[in-house]
Amino acid sequence: VQWLSLFLAELGNDGLVLAILARFLPLSTAAASHVRQRVTHIVGTLINTLTEEAEIDEDFWAEITQAMADRLIDRIPAVRAAAVVALERMQILPEDEGDEFDADEEAIVPSLDTPLKRRKHASEFMDASGFDDPILSRFVALLQADSSKHVRAAVLHKLALAPSTLPLVIERTRDVDAKVRKAAYAVLAAKVDMRGLNIAQRVTLLDSGLRDRDDAVRNAALSMMYTGWLKEFFEGDVTGFLDALDVIESDEKLVPAL
């Protein structure tokens, strides 16, 4: 699949990609789970090779979206995770949200009323996230409700980030599974400007991450702090970095972790 995606991306022939998609899409409902997983993975790879200028029939695009959305509630976690990758470009954020985070704005935090440990499958919560876009809504439901750590981690990496979805990523730094917590810190380090977090969020993230019982999570939090914040944002200015954490007010909580 990797060589095919590289070849098609280099070729830049959207018509060919769509023709291949049309042949594979019906197989996404195959009885064999390994076939569904493979086909969903291939469909996702093909979708992500389409150029921004691709001319796609609206009905066919809707058919692709629905087919992959159906796989979000597949009983096999690997299929659900592959569907998340396939649907990344179908997410639509609220119209009033831009690309930059404003830490002074009140964040919208969609919530589900059932504790994570009691949710065995996300399908029954698909309309409970508070987002109008059905794909974004399903992503949020999976992130908060799916029993598979692999699915939750996949959503973290593919979720469209905005003021309304950022708190959901931060929430996963307290996930029950270390793989998901590590993924949350990796996403925050790679995609979120430190200015998108208020002081309380910055301090809490560092305190939780640097105290985490798992080495990989601690390293991810340390990487976020050093590479993402101190080195890239403050260009090594330790004084400015500490001021951004308001260490005078936060030292009781943060200094022991540092």
Side-chain angles (χ1 to χ4, degrees), residues 29-220:
T29 59
S33 61
H34 71 278
V35 175
R36 296 198 307 277
Q37 191 275 332
R38 189 66 172 169
V39 168
T40 302
H41 176 61
I42 291 173
V43 168
T45 300
L46 292 172
I47 289 173
N48 289 314
T49 63
L50 290 169
T51 66
E52 294 295 332
E53 297 76 26
E55 296 183 3
I56 307 171
D57 179 78
E58 290 186 6
D59 290 338
F60 183 46
W61 189 247
E63 183 182 349
I64 296 172
T65 303
Q66 185 59 58
M68 294 298 98
D70 289 344
R71 301 279 61 80
L72 288 177
I73 56 175
D74 197 281
R75 63 184 180 84
I76 304 299
V79 178
R80 300 199 298 275
V84 168
V85 176
L87 290 165
E88 178 184 9
R89 296 175 69 174
M90 280 76 154
Q91 299 172 85
I92 301 175
L93 289 166
E95 293 182 0
D96 59 347
E97 293 196 323
D99 295 328
E100 296 186 359
F101 302 110
D102 186 346
D104 295 325
E105 292 183 358
E106 183 178 356
I108 304 171
V109 187
S111 62
L112 300 177
D113 57 9
T114 305
L116 179 62
K117 63 182 180 181
R118 293 179 57 193
R119 301 179 197 142
K120 295 184 178 180
H121 202 284
S123 59
E124 61 186 291
F125 301 101
M126 285 303 187
D127 297 321
S129 72
F131 288 99
D132 292 331
D133 176 58
I135 300 303
L136 184 57
S137 179
R138 292 185 178 201
F139 273 24
V140 170
L142 290 171
L143 183 60
Q144 294 187 314
D146 202 279
S147 60
S148 169
K149 61 184 179 182
H150 301 292
V151 174
R152 299 198 302 278
V155 176
L156 277 172
H157 286 294
K158 300 302 178 182
L159 182 69
L161 285 177
S164 59
T165 58
L166 176 58
L168 302 170
V169 177
I170 295 174
E171 181 184 57
R172 288 304 102 193
T173 63
R174 301 186 300 276
D175 194 274
V176 296
D177 191 274
K179 175 183 174 67
V180 180
R181 298 198 301 274
K182 177 185 175 183
Y185 278 105
V187 169
L188 289 168
K191 299 183 179 181
V192 178
D193 192 310
M194 188 178 180
R195 292 171 297 183
L197 304 167
N198 59 40
I199 292 175
Q201 289 172 325
R202 298 167 192 169
V203 172
T204 299
L205 283 171
L206 287 181
D207 180 62
S208 298
L210 297 178
R211 294 175 186 267
D212 198 280
R213 61 184 180 275
D214 187 272
D215 289 342
V217 178
R218 290 197 300 273
N219 289 336

